[in-house]
Amino acid sequence: MQYKRSERVADLLQRTVAEILLRRVRDPRLSKLTVTGVDVSADLRYAKIYYCFVGSEEERPQVSQALEKARPFIRREIGRRVELRYVPDIQFFFDTSFDYGEKIERLLHRIHEES
């Protein structure tokens, strides 16, 4: 099975961004953040980075602001670590799939308790 180059680059970017956030970004608001996936455009110029974090709903805007503030630094670090002709323009998006999974888990637990 062959993978498209954009999929390979997406995997590489996911690992790289996770490492940058873990080891290089010093903002405490980003300490509970996990990179859940990356989508890269076919021409490798744009990357959507999906994340989730352990925390309250009230913290979400602060985490989003911290990511936006760190975005130029993260992009520079990607340029240093990953050999690509162009460093992709990156955007961060909150991954809602984990919230949905948690909601389903609570509903199943409630059904199990009632029966």
Side-chain angles (χ1 to χ4, degrees), residues 43-75:
D43 64 359
L44 308 179
R45 296 225 180 203
Y46 302 98
K48 293 179 180 179
I49 301 171
Y50 297 93
Y51 68 93
C52 67
F53 70 97
V54 179
S56 66
E57 188 73 28
E58 293 79 31
E59 293 176 275
R60 189 185 298 181
Q62 296 163 347
V63 170
S64 179
Q65 288 173 345
L67 279 171
E68 193 58 34
K69 183 178 177 188
R71 190 165 64 118
F73 173 76
I74 294 169
R75 189 165 183 256

Side-chain angles (χ1 to χ4, degrees), residues 19-64:
E19 183 180 331
I20 292 167
L21 287 169
L22 180 66
R23 302 188 193 291
R24 300 278 292 145
V25 176
R26 305 247 187 260
D27 194 322
R29 297 175 290 184
L30 301 178
S31 63
K32 299 183 256 179
L33 187 122
T34 302
V35 178
T36 58
V38 176
D39 285 335
V40 179
S41 64
D43 64 359
L44 308 179
R45 296 225 180 203
Y46 302 98
K48 293 179 180 179
I49 301 171
Y50 297 93
Y51 68 93
C52 67
F53 70 97
V54 179
S56 66
E57 188 73 28
E58 293 79 31
E59 293 176 275
R60 189 185 298 181
Q62 296 163 347
V63 170
S64 179

Side-chain angles (χ1 to χ4, degrees), residues 6-23:
S6 61
E7 292 173 357
R8 292 192 310 268
V9 170
D11 289 341
L12 178 61
L13 287 178
Q14 183 174 351
R15 289 191 307 271
T16 303
V17 171
E19 183 180 331
I20 292 167
L21 287 169
L22 180 66
R23 302 188 193 291

